[in-house]
């Protein structure tokens, strides 16, 4: 049977009137909520003009500058260190006086080291005496050999004269052959003995020359060691290594010092420098040759970075600055300064003065005056800063005015009504 003619099932409509009314109601609620939120966000905070401060953005030469603490120090400061450890036995001079190079400052006592040096000194002196005795013995032996050679030559000369006379007599048959042969053999014996002794003297002289040279070299080395030992004993007496003004010198009798420990400083009085402490944040920014300045007795004194010490201690690193021009009068060692260190060259920028507004806004926005008695929150972008100004990269134009006092009371508002 053909089913196409049968009644089909009619589906109900999805969008009923009740459902449509519900949806319309939800939309109206969302619209009203959105409108209410906008009204809330646009609420206005009212403030009297006497309660706020107003500053103006401007265009000028911005320079990235930081303030650092500095101390005046001698430009050439020499440390006085102990050359040997010990306890203070005697103090010869007081702090804060001018000393000449070599002036005794204090004497240390170290019985153990002194005894060791004295034992070494005694042993070396004994070795030197033994070598000198050996040298004298060799020289005496050489003289004895030469004396024996002289005696031999004298004996040979006498026998040689007799031998020559007998040779003439024998040739004339005046003396017997046996007497002549005896004279000849005596002459040959003494001649051979003389030649042997002569060779022995020459050989001994050469050997003694080498040995005595070695002895002299050994004695020289030992004498040098002896001088070093005596210098080590002398090291217990601490002397000024250079002429200058003595400072940081305050030893007490009985106080102990280690070897190479600093006991004083000497200012060579060749000028002054400034030692500054910089936050580690600027370690990669501070370079040799950068300029700085500070105010002193109403004048601006220029400095230049000479050295940067990269070692960080207590989150700071040290720099050394020198004076560009003549030293200011009345400046003294140990004087504390506030130094303005220039991190970059000046360039044209929009700038705004620093103020209490930064604490609440974090530099992300300011309230800009519209000239109609209101100020509106505007987001900005800041760049570098110095002790007086922030560099504005985006969001403000020159001559626009903004509230520079604290935003704590109205930081959650978008607009401010300024009442006279």
């Amino acid at each position: 049977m053909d089913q196409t003619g049968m009644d089909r099932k009619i589906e109900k409509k999805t969008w009923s009137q009740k459902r449509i009314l519900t949806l319309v109601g939800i939309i109206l609620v969302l619209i009203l909520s959105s409108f209410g939120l906008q009204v809330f966000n646009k609420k206005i905070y009212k403030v009297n003009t006497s309660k706020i401060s107003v500053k103006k953005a401007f265009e000028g030469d911005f320079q990235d500058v930081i303030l650092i603490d500095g101390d005046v120090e001698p430009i050439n400061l020499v440390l006085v260190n102990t050359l040997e450890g010990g306890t203070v036995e005697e103090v010869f001079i007081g702090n804060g006086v001018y000393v000449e190079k070599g002036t005794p400052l204090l004497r240390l006592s170290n019985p153990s080291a002194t005894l060791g040096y004295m034992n070494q000194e005694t042993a070396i002196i004994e070795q030197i005496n033994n070598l000198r005795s050996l040298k004298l013995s060799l020289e005496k032996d050489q003289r004895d050999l030469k004396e024996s050679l002289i005696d031999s030559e004298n004996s040979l000369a006498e026998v040689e004269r007799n031998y020559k006379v007998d040779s003439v007599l024998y040739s004339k048959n005046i003396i017997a052959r046996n007497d002549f042969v005896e004279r000849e053999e005596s002459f040959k014996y003494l001649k051979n003995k003389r030649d042997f002794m002569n060779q022995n003297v020459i050989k001994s002289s050469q050997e003694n020359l080498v040995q005595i040279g070695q002895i002299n070299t050994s004695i020289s080395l030992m004498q040098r060691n002896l001088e070093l030992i005596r210098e080590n004993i002398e090291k217990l007496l601490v002397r000024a290594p250079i002429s200058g003004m003595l400072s940081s010198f305050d030893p007490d009798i009985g106080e102990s010092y280690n070897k190479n420990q600093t006991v004083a400083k000497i200012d060579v009085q060749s000028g002054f420098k400034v030692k500054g402490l910089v936050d580690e944040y600027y370690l990669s920014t501070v370079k040799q040759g950068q300029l700085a300045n500070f105010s002193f007795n109403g004048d601006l004194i220029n400095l230049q970075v000479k050295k940067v010490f990269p070692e960080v201690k207590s989150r700071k690193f040290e720099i050394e600055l020198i004076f560009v021009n003549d030293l200011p009068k009345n400046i003294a060692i140990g004087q504390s300064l506030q130094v303005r260190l220039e991190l970059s060259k000046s360039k044209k920028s929009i700038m705004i003065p620093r103020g209490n507004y930064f604490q609440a806004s974090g530099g992300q926005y300011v309230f800009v005056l519209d000239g109609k008695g209101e100020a509106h929150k505007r987001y900005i972008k800041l760049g570098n800063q110095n002790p007086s100004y922030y560099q504005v990269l985006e969001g403000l134009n020159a001559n626009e005015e903004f509230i520079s006092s604290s935003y704590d009371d109205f930081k959650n508002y978008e607009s401010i009504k300024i009442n006279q």
Side-chain angles (χ1 to χ4, degrees), residues 323-372:
F323 290 85
V324 175
N325 303 313
D326 295 337
L327 290 173
K329 294 181 180 180
N330 302 324
I331 198 162
I333 295 175
Q335 194 160 6
S336 296
L337 308 170
Q338 190 171 59
V339 179
R340 298 175 72 255
L341 178 61
E342 300 176 3
L343 301 180
S344 65
K345 294 183 178 181
S346 60
K347 58 182 177 180
K348 291 290 183 182
S349 300
I350 301 296
M351 293 181 283
I352 54 175
R354 300 170 69 100
N356 293 333
Y357 62 92
F358 191 88
Q359 280 69 28
S361 69
Q364 296 182 349
Y365 62 86
V366 291
F367 283 92
V368 182
L369 276 66
D370 62 3
K372 299 177 182 179

Side-chain angles (χ1 to χ4, degrees), residues 399-410:
N399 298 320
E400 286 192 296
E401 292 183 321
F402 71 100
I403 297 175
S404 60
S405 50
S406 174
Y407 291 174
D408 288 341
D409 294 335
F410 46 83

Side-chain angles (χ1 to χ4, degrees), residues 286-324:
V286 179
K287 306 293 181 184
Q288 182 179 351
Q290 287 177 333
L291 299 178
N293 58 67
F294 66 94
S295 296
F296 186 76
N297 289 341
D299 296 324
L300 193 63
I301 310 302
N302 294 319
L303 301 171
Q304 187 177 39
V305 178
K306 182 181 180 182
K307 294 180 181 178
V308 178
F309 303 94
E311 183 180 1
V312 176
K313 295 180 180 179
S314 300
R315 306 187 70 83
K316 292 183 180 293
F317 65 96
E318 286 187 353
I319 62 172
E320 183 180 298
L321 305 105
I322 58 174
F323 290 85
V324 175

Side-chain angles (χ1 to χ4, degrees), residues 4 13 35-37 42 58 85 89 98 111 131 156 207 242 319 325 336-337 371 379 385 396:
T4 57
K13 292 183 179 181
F35 179 76
L37 184 61
K42 289 184 178 180
F58 66 97
E89 183 179 67
Y98 185 87
L131 289 174
L156 176 62
E207 291 175 350
I242 197 168
I319 62 172
N325 303 313
S336 296
L337 308 170
Y379 286 89
Q385 58 180 290
L396 274 178

Side-chain angles (χ1 to χ4, degrees), residues 254-271:
E255 183 179 357
S256 296
Y257 286 101
N258 297 322
K259 186 176 181 180
N260 293 325
Q261 184 174 345
T262 299
V263 297
K265 298 177 182 178
I266 295 181
D267 170 20
V268 184
Q269 296 187 315
S270 58

